[in-house]
Amino acid sequence: MTGRLIVLSNRIPTAGPPSGGLVVAIDELLAERGGLWIGSGDDFVDTPSESLQPIQGGSGYNKAIFDLTEQEHKEFYLGYANSVLWPLCHHRPDLIAFDRRYAESYATVNARVAKMLAEIIAPDDLIWVHDYHFLPLAQELKRLGVSARVGLFLHIPFPTLPDLNALPEREQFYQWLAAFDLVGLQTEADVACCLQCFRAQETGEMLFDGRLKFQDQTFAVRSFPIGIDAKSFFSIAEKPLKDDPLHLRKEDRLILGVDRLDYSKGLTHRVRGFGKWLEKRGAKSPRGTLVQITPPSRELVAAYQDIARELEALVGHFNGRYGELDWTPIRLLEHAVPRETLAPLYRLADIGLVTPLADGMNLVAKEYIAAQDPDDPGVLILSRAAGAAEQMTDALLVNPHDSEEIGDAIERALSMSCDERKARHKALMQVVRDTDIFEWGAGYLDCLERLEIASAGPFDEQGRFCRKSERKSDPTMGEVCRDQSLDHGNPQKIG
Ligand code: ADQ
């Protein structure tokens, strides 16, 4: 058993009890094993402190924040993280903001956070870094002589090799990642992409034990598909909404979209797809109303500023064209709604429409499934470009760029028999339950802790790390993946 768990994420819940799947999971993991959660504070300062500042709020563990200046918020967070790395990883190199000050600020903030961390890390601590805001952190810690194990989990897609070539700091990008002991990615497709990028480098090679070597660093890359707290989501969804906020007719159908306002979420393509369905809808078809709940995000980033206008124009166009005196086909809400409203809305919806153009996982797809009534479930229409599509193959999978295909999927979902809906939901619910947020957190940490023992095995034949629930005990090989045996496959000993 290793020492303390130290979690670093850009955001940290600073007030009140934790809410939201990821935050709850990290809170529970830390409460169970003790440790420290570090993130940036809510207020900007003129001169950032050189040490971490403890804050109240962790039950059974500690919390601390680091400062950012307003300039750093602009250049490190809105700049390098969200105007360079975010578009890079979401296949939009055309949207990358090429401003060298962003890279400088990113390096400065990461170096400062690493220095503050280095002062408090003990050699047997486990450091778990979240997301693209802190890619250089392990390299900085190593420079400072920290020997503790450091893992990264990237919540967004891994960039493709051609896209990575658009990054001015591409050389550093490889060094940043290789300095971690474990790079956790959402999907097997992301792992394949990461391996391809490293193997294309002169000094990149794959070792026999499945780890990667780059220059003088050796590290592991594995997929850990993130999940939700399915049980709690189901129980919130079961509580019906007070009064009927939608006022739809009994025979009307509800189609629901829930996403941050982001170009990666495919919102205009989605509305065009719904427009195709409206266009083809027969005179006797039921009315379908699309409720799209879309709170703004990163409004100060240039690439985000036109999306709302474009979306509003499209919604106005289709409502004008297909609406009737007593029916507005698309309702657009540009603000968040509380979870207590969102979960029962998912349950009411005949279709969950989740069509991002690129997405690390997409938790809305999993929340929609968890919220359904198993005896009369709705249908999930899911983009093939969402990480979730790798696991949720019983959804109606669509090409998010093709509005015709989205329109046809809506028609198919609305006419699907109850038996087919139930069978698809059952299979999807199994996936959501088996890979929930707690399994994800425990699986990642288990892998990070076991790295020295036979390179973090066991892995299945696709190179995916097997979680505790997926393993069996083999008399000669120790713990192996359940679907492997000595006769077929290549189990790796871990203990
Ligand atoms: P996001 O891009 O934020 O997350 P997603 O996975 O869908 O995307 O999570 C969004 C969360 O915010 C969900 O829990 C959802 O319920 C909530 N939310 C979204 N719109 C809302 C609204 N209008 N009102 C209230 N709540 C809303 C990033 C990556 C994803 C990855 C997650 C987790 O981009 O690919 O799945 O991290 O790793």
Side-chain angles (χ1 to χ4, degrees):
M1 180 75 180
T2 42
R4 263 185 324 175
L5 171 61
I6 299 179
V7 174
L8 174 66
S9 60
N10 180 55
R11 293 268 171 77
I12 180 171
T14 47
S19 68
L22 179 63
V23 171
V24 170
I26 293 177
D27 178 73
E28 287 199 8
L29 275 167
L30 282 163
E32 189 186 308
R33 38 189 306 161
L36 177 64
W37 191 349
I38 299 165
S40 66
D42 292 335
D43 303 318
F44 304 131
V45 298
D46 292 334
T47 314
S49 161
E50 291 295 320
S51 54
L52 295 166
Q53 299 143 58
I55 57 165
Q56 298 295 315
S59 146
Y61 66 92
N62 299 312
K63 279 185 185 177
I65 52 167
F66 59 87
D67 295 324
L68 287 181
T69 64
E70 197 169 356
Q71 191 72 3
E72 285 171 344
H73 176 73
K74 276 191 200 140
E75 295 177 348
F76 153 78
Y77 175 74
L78 295 172
Y80 202 77
N82 286 310
S83 305
V84 177
L85 293 174
W86 180 274
L88 172 81
C89 293
H90 289 86
H91 318 309
R92 295 297 306 269
D94 56 309
L95 294 180
I96 292 178
F98 292 97
D99 185 332
R100 297 299 185 272
R101 284 171 305 177
Y102 293 171
E104 281 162 25
S105 182
Y106 189 70
T108 305
V109 171
N110 270 278
R112 189 168 74 235
V113 173
K115 205 161 156 243
M116 292 186 283
L117 263 170
E119 278 165 20
I120 57 153
I121 292 175
D124 62 348
D125 286 342
L126 267 191
I127 324 298
W128 189 6
V129 177
H130 285 263
D131 238 356
Y132 54 102
H133 313 87
F134 302 109
L135 300 184
L137 206 94
Q139 193 188 33
E140 290 293 338
L141 287 176
K142 282 197 172 161
R143 270 193 199 133
L144 295 165
V146 170
S147 61
R149 200 164 288 180
V150 190
L152 169 76
F153 184 78
L154 189 65
H155 290 257
I156 63 177
F158 197 87
T160 62
L161 183 58
D163 287 351
L164 248 181
N165 286 332
L167 183 70
E169 297 74 30
R170 57 193 165 276
E171 296 291 327
Q172 289 102 306
F173 183 90
Y174 289 107
Q175 289 165 357
W176 292 338
L177 290 190
F180 286 96
D181 295 289
L182 172 64
V183 172
L185 302 173
Q186 296 274 24
T187 65
E188 284 161 28
D190 288 318
V191 171
C193 201
C194 177
L195 297 188
Q196 191 204 16
C197 289
F198 273 96
R199 290 172 79 178
Q201 306 310 303
E202 216 176 289
T203 60
E205 62 177 303
M206 192 152 172
L207 303 179
F208 282 118
D209 63 9
R211 284 184 299 167
L212 277 174
K213 187 157 188 263
F214 179 73
Q215 295 174 349
D216 57 347
Q217 307 284 346
T218 304
F219 63 108
V221 181
R222 302 288 167 226
S223 75
F224 302 90
I226 198 166
I228 60 165
D229 181 353
K231 245 192 225 160
S232 107
F233 215 85
F234 183 83
S235 60
I236 308 175
E238 264 189 320
K239 291 182 194 132
L241 289 168
K242 266 196 212 142
D243 310 322
D244 169 16
L246 295 170
H247 298 292
L248 295 177
R249 301 180 314 182
K250 226 173 135 208
E251 63 276 24
D252 288 353
R253 318 298 286 275
L254 173 63
I255 296 136
L256 185 64
V258 175
D259 319 69
R260 279 183 307 102
L261 187 64
D262 193 300
Y263 51 81
S264 66
K265 302 291 182 184
L267 295 164
T268 50
H269 300 71
R270 181 181 312 171
V271 168
R272 284 201 183 90
F274 182 69
K276 280 282 168 205
W277 176 78
L278 289 171
E279 184 190 321
K280 289 188 187 172
R281 189 176 77 94
K284 288 192 181 146
S285 302
R287 281 178 182 178
T289 298
L290 170 63
V291 173
Q292 177 63 49
I293 306 178
T294 297
S297 66
R298 304 170 196 168
E299 290 162 278
L300 296 175
V301 176
Y304 287 71
Q305 282 161 7
D306 295 335
I307 328 173
R309 301 296 84 77
E310 206 187 326
L311 190 60
E312 286 160 7
L314 263 183
V315 168
H317 166 75
F318 287 118
N319 280 339
R321 186 155 189 170
Y322 298 104
E324 289 169 23
L325 282 176
D326 61 347
W327 177 40
T328 307
I330 309 177
R331 300 184 194 176
L332 176 64
L333 274 69
E334 290 179 0
H335 55 82
V337 298
R339 265 181 129 56
E340 290 63 33
T341 309
L342 194 59
L345 266 185
Y346 282 137
R347 195 177 178 93
L348 285 178
D350 298 278
I351 296 178
L353 195 51
V354 182
T355 56
L357 304 174
D359 218 331
M361 177 56 56
N362 194 296
L363 296 180
V364 170
K366 296 190 171 183
E367 291 170 355
Y368 176 74
I369 290 301
Q372 296 307 299
D373 172 358
D375 294 326
D376 185 18
V379 179
L380 174 65
I381 296 179
L382 178 60
S383 158
R384 291 180 189 279
E390 202 170 85
Q391 299 175 294
M392 303 182 83
T393 49
D394 283 284
L396 289 186
L397 297 180
V398 293
N399 170 0
H401 297 274
D402 184 346
S403 51
E404 200 89 40
E405 197 176 318
I406 295 174
D408 290 348
I410 293 174
E411 182 56 34
R412 185 167 166 213
L414 290 179
S415 49
M416 193 179 281
S417 72
C418 188
D419 282 349
E420 184 176 349
R421 282 188 283 121
K422 275 159 76 172
R424 285 177 181 271
H425 174 260
K426 191 173 170 204
L428 289 167
M429 193 58 209
Q430 189 74 38
V431 171
V432 172
R433 229 186 267 120
D434 287 353
T435 55
D436 75 0
I437 186 82
F438 304 107
E439 185 72 25
W440 167 80
Y444 182 91
L445 284 180
D446 192 30
C447 187
L448 185 60
E449 273 181 325
R450 286 165 179 265
L451 279 172
E452 258 158 35
I453 318 163
S455 64
F459 302 106
D460 67 13
E461 281 155 10
Q462 279 78 47
R464 201 174 62 87
F465 178 71
C466 295
R467 295 179 172 80
K468 276 188 181 137
S469 59
E470 296 168 333
R471 297 178 199 160
K472 66 177 181 186
S473 187
D474 182 281
T476 50
M477 298 299 286
E479 258 186 319
V480 297
C481 296
R482 218 186 288 144
D483 60 353
Q484 288 178 317
S485 74
L486 285 174
D487 305 330
H488 57 88
N490 180 27
Q492 295 174 48
K493 189 171 176 160
I494 60 163

